[in-house]
Amino acid sequence: MKIDILGVSFDNLTLEEAIEAGLALARGKQEGAYAVTPNPEFILDARKNETFRLDLSGAALTIPDGIGVIYAAKVLGTPLKGKTPGIDFAAGVMAGMAKESLRLYLLGAKPGVAELAGKNLMGRYPGLTVCGVHDGYFMEEESAALAAEIRESQADVVFVCLGAPKQERWMAAHGAETGAHLLVGLGGSLDVFAGTVDRAPAGWQKLGLEWLYRLCKEPWRWKRMIRLPLILWYALLARFGGKKRG
Ligand code: UDP
């Protein structure tokens, strides 16, 4: 069952269910299915950017990355089962892929980062094959050649880590050309897998304060984050705003 949160339609799954759904796509025959992990920033951007909204709606799997989405869902009266951070989803999918000898391609981040992430991931998930990597700084004209390179690598899954909305645009436009069964938009995850950026400690994650940790580490983000409470305001308006007139 899908739940609409301010124009973005989410799958209502626990983390384990989401991982299983991702693995089912990865094993499947379809080419170019993609998963997106929207946080409140995505939802706000999608209200203004129709291409982004359409790219999100084309996803086979849409799971909530941030605690803000969970709060907004509660305010709307249509709660979601829980947050499913993209990076935890990715970890679960890789653990499953390792057992089934599925092949992973890493696309994104600054030159050198994906290689390092690949080495770390193969160490962490014995049996996982990272069958290719490419940095995320290429021209749109190079996309067809890049997709062909991924197809040649026989990747089952591609992690596309170009930041939003670029990664969703790329998956929608070129996902099928790669021949992969599942592509996942994962923002800055390769930096975390490479160890160049660290993730909030588990205690902060449990409290839903991952955003605060990130803000402390990367204070320049305040300009992007300051508008995020807006999502709760829009949720309140959507739920209660109309009633006054009725
Ligand atoms: N990035 C990229 N190509 C670009 C722009 C960004 O590969 O043209 C990478 C960037 O190096 C970083 C990731 O995309 O690794 C975006 O990270 P950010 O933290 O902005 O994304 P978020 O996790 O907030 O979605």
Side-chain angles (χ1 to χ4, degrees):
M1 193 192 67
K2 294 263 189 183
I3 291 189
D4 179 273
I5 309 292
L6 302 170
V8 176
S9 205
F10 284 85
D11 289 285
N12 189 19
L13 303 172
T14 63
L15 179 60
E16 289 70 27
E17 290 166 345
I19 291 166
E20 207 26 70
L23 281 169
L25 289 167
R27 290 182 204 112
K29 294 265 182 294
Q30 194 192 334
E31 291 186 349
Y34 60 94
V36 294
T37 61
N39 60 29
E41 203 173 354
F42 283 47
I43 295 177
L44 293 177
D45 289 349
R47 289 166 77 87
K48 297 199 183 125
N49 177 344
E50 199 190 350
T51 306
F52 188 31
R53 195 164 61 242
L54 290 173
D55 290 342
L56 289 173
S57 71
L61 190 60
T62 305
I63 54 175
D65 184 65
I67 193 75
V69 180
I70 301 303
Y71 287 148
K74 269 194 197 145
V75 170
L76 285 164
T78 49
L80 287 161
K81 285 184 184 170
K83 75 179 157 121
T84 49
I87 201 152
D88 294 334
F89 171 73
V93 167
M94 286 187 287
M97 289 177 69
K99 284 190 201 135
E100 299 177 37
S101 307
L102 295 176
R103 297 161 70 82
L104 176 65
Y105 192 101
L106 303 175
L107 171 61
K110 299 207 172 100
V113 174
E115 278 92 341
L116 192 52
K119 266 190 210 139
N120 291 346
L121 293 172
M122 285 198 286
R124 202 176 307 163
Y125 302 98
L128 180 73
T129 304
V130 175
C131 58
V133 300
H134 197 287
D135 69 74
Y137 294 84
F138 55 89
M139 310 290 281
E140 174 46 31
E141 303 85 83
E142 298 170 80
S143 286
L146 179 54
E149 189 183 310
I150 298 174
R151 183 177 277 274
E152 241 163 68
S153 78
Q154 298 187 321
D156 297 290
V157 177
V158 187
F159 288 170
V160 185
C161 304
L162 308 172
K166 200 171 174 182
Q167 61 200 13
E168 287 71 24
R169 184 82 288 271
W170 202 87
M171 293 190 294
H174 302 287
E177 292 165 37
T178 67
H181 307 296
L182 173 67
L183 300 97
V184 190
L186 286 170
S189 302
L190 290 182
D191 299 301
V192 177
F193 295 143
T196 49
V197 169
D198 59 337
R199 204 181 162 199
W204 292 60
Q205 290 177 34
K206 274 210 189 99
L207 291 171
L209 291 177
E210 203 156 1
W211 61 272
L212 182 59
Y213 185 83
R214 198 157 187 197
L215 185 60
C216 295
K217 287 276 173 169
E218 300 168 76
W220 54 266
R221 282 183 179 272
W222 74 270
K223 276 193 198 143
R224 272 168 68 175
M225 290 173 90
I226 195 129
R227 66 197 180 105
L228 299 188
L230 257 183
I231 191 183
L232 297 180
W233 174 243
Y234 287 139
L236 280 169
L237 277 183
R239 180 148 185 211
F240 301 111
K243 286 199 177 157
K244 282 183 202 131
R245 286 192 293 273

